[in-house]
Amino acid sequence: MKRRLLLAAVGWLLAASLSACHRIESKDSAAEGNGTTTPRPTQTNSGDTLRIFMWSDYIDPEVVGQFEKQNGVNVVIDTYESNESMLAKLQGGGASYDLANPSNYVIQTMVRAKLLQPLQKNLLKNFGNVSAGFLNPNFDPDNTYSVPYQFAATGLGYNDARFKPAAESWNLIFGPQDHIKFALLDDPREVIGAALKYLGYSVNSGKVEELRAARDLLRQTVKKKGFESFSGGPEIRNKLLAGSIDLGQIYVGDLLQGAAENGHLHVFLPREGTTISTDTLVILRGSPNPALARKFIDFVLEPKVSAAISNYTYYGNPNAKAQPYLDPFLKSQKAFNPTPEDFSSGRVEFINELPAGNAARLYDRIWTELKSR
Ligand code: SPD
């Protein structure tokens, strides 16, 4: 607790003393009342404004202040809690952002919807810092539109002052018992993916009978008296910290931010397997200031900047040159570091884009039904 509060306080003071100008809004979060703790200094710079649409609690405010100071610009960050809500807002029009922060599996959806413009990565002097494993990914050949930002698997978090899990298993949520109070992520691919994994299927299953089995399991799950809510990652962390739930499905980084504050918070990757995804930075087609957007991406690719972001957010870092600067706390966390065997065995599986058609429609229908229960 002390470490993160201290970091937040130091960050805020530094930001304030540098007359920092960025404003980090948390639109989804505010609506959901998850109480983000990100400081929000007032804007004072008179230069250009860079507008970023990003997952919540996903950047170090000090780094944003540094970019503003170096470039004499303002940065405004609005946040979201799922790819689906980000897409809905961008496709609805009316929002004018320079950069967004989609996960790997929605990049091609955004390309088809003509939401993205090519990065022109030849103009990024730090692109060469990206770790080899993140180059030329199948979801964006040749990194035409995206650079990897951060990544994490999804696990189950708990507060051991309140609850001690009997096993590291999804059974705590999907099993027959009904005394555990739990929350699930407000994220369709994560929730349906967890049910699929529990049943022994791929998180990317397109088989109707497997999806129906996941749907039936989830129908029962959300009827349990222990089911508390569908919530964003930071909100689930806050519920665990407050002791208002026993267990929460959560992106590992969001939980580790809490674990660094409170030693009672822990996270594990369930033995049946789980999801992982890479979040990226992309320049939106309607960007009012693409040159500034590119400058920000290049800044984030600087090794020390990239490491500072991961050291603040506790998410995985895809920048080869940043690795020496990463906090040893991160390297010590099992859930932060899936092993090569976790990947080769399929225990930890990347969420991929679903092929359009029946299966994709079934995912949508399952989610709509669960949310309107
Ligand atoms: N608070 C940061 C959350 C980052 C989530 N990563 C993407 C998960 C995609 N299902």
Side-chain angles (χ1 to χ4, degrees):
M1 164 112 35
K2 283 190 198 107
R3 182 177 181 273
R4 190 162 170 82
L5 289 180
L6 187 67
L7 280 176
V10 169
W12 196 91
L13 283 172
L14 264 174
S17 68
L18 294 171
S19 322
C21 315
H22 59 284
R23 171 172 64 87
I24 300 184
E25 292 291 359
S26 191
K27 298 227 164 128
D28 285 357
S29 312
E32 292 166 17
N34 77 11
T36 178
T37 52
T38 311
R40 301 176 185 191
T42 16
Q43 291 186 95
T44 54
N45 267 336
S46 53
D48 284 352
T49 296
L50 178 72
R51 294 180 193 279
I52 309 178
F53 200 26
M54 166 171 258
W55 288 87
S56 62
D57 286 9
Y58 216 26
I59 194 156
D60 178 354
E62 210 177 301
V63 156
V64 180
Q66 203 184 326
F67 179 78
E68 289 177 316
K69 185 165 180 259
Q70 270 177 23
N71 296 284
V73 297
N74 304 309
V75 176
V76 174
I77 301 180
D78 289 342
T79 63
Y80 53 83
E81 297 294 353
S82 72
N83 288 299
E84 291 71 16
S85 64
M86 177 269 297
L87 279 174
K89 183 162 179 186
L90 295 181
Q91 287 178 316
S96 178
Y97 295 107
D98 297 291
L99 288 168
N101 183 211
S103 302
N104 55 295
Y105 58 93
V106 293
I107 298 290
Q108 286 305 318
T109 311
M110 295 180 84
V111 172
R112 285 193 302 275
K114 303 201 183 321
L115 288 169
L116 306 185
Q117 59 173 285
L119 278 178
Q120 296 186 268
K121 64 178 190 305
N122 55 311
L123 301 178
L124 295 170
K125 67 178 185 332
N126 294 318
F127 186 79
N129 296 344
V130 174
S131 301
F134 290 85
L135 291 173
N136 190 22
N138 57 5
F139 59 84
D140 182 21
D142 202 30
N143 295 89
T144 306
Y145 296 97
S146 66
V147 291
Y149 176 65
Q150 296 189 103
F151 62 91
T154 299
L156 281 174
Y158 63 98
N159 178 335
D160 71 7
R162 178 186 157 114
F163 176 75
K164 294 198 172 44
E168 296 195 345
S169 168
W170 287 116
N171 194 48
L172 297 163
I173 283 181
F174 297 126
Q177 72 289 330
D178 198 6
H179 62 281
I180 298 169
K181 197 162 176 200
F182 65 95
L184 295 171
L185 284 166
D186 194 2
D187 183 323
R189 294 298 306 275
E190 295 291 351
V191 169
I192 300 169
L196 286 165
K197 220 58 193 153
Y198 176 67
L199 293 168
Y201 305 135
S202 162
V203 302
N204 299 304
S205 175
K207 296 191 178 140
V208 172
E209 63 281 15
E210 295 181 359
L211 286 164
R212 287 196 179 133
R215 175 199 62 195
D216 294 347
L217 178 64
L218 288 165
R219 274 184 182 156
Q220 295 310 313
T221 304
V222 299
K223 276 193 206 139
K224 286 183 169 190
K225 71 172 188 306
F227 174 60
E228 203 258 355
S229 60
F230 288 113
S231 297
E235 192 178 0
I236 292 183
R237 176 185 65 234
N238 292 342
K239 286 173 196 272
L240 289 167
L241 281 168
S244 60
I245 54 173
D246 296 316
L247 200 61
Q249 182 190 26
I250 190 163
Y251 312 117
V252 166
D254 284 355
L255 188 287
L256 292 178
Q257 290 176 30
E261 290 180 22
N262 179 334
H264 288 293
L265 252 58
H266 306 279
V267 63
F268 60 84
L269 303 183
R271 65 179 180 221
E272 297 87 355
T274 193
T275 54
I276 190 167
S277 38
T278 305
D279 300 317
T280 67
L281 288 174
V282 295
I283 305 179
L284 293 165
R285 183 171 280 211
S287 163
N289 204 338
L292 190 57
R294 202 169 290 109
K295 198 177 252 188
F296 184 82
I297 293 179
D298 224 8
F299 172 73
V300 163
L301 287 171
E302 285 178 21
K304 286 189 178 162
V305 171
S306 175
I309 293 173
S310 295
N311 289 340
Y312 183 90
T313 63
Y314 298 108
Y315 274 83
N317 186 296
N319 185 315
K321 298 242 174 83
Q323 304 305 307
Y325 306 110
L326 291 180
D327 186 335
F329 170 82
L330 290 177
K331 296 187 181 166
S332 73
Q333 297 298 309
K334 224 168 90 187
F336 181 81
N337 296 299
T339 62
E341 219 261 309
D342 285 329
F343 289 108
S344 60
S345 65
R347 179 171 168 253
V348 176
E349 243 190 306
F350 268 95
I351 302 180
N352 295 329
E353 188 186 25
L354 298 166
N358 282 346
R361 279 195 292 277
L362 193 45
Y363 275 82
D364 282 348
R365 280 210 298 276
I366 295 172
W367 188 243
T368 306
E369 177 189 326
L370 293 173
K371 288 297 297 279
S372 57
R373 77 206 178 281

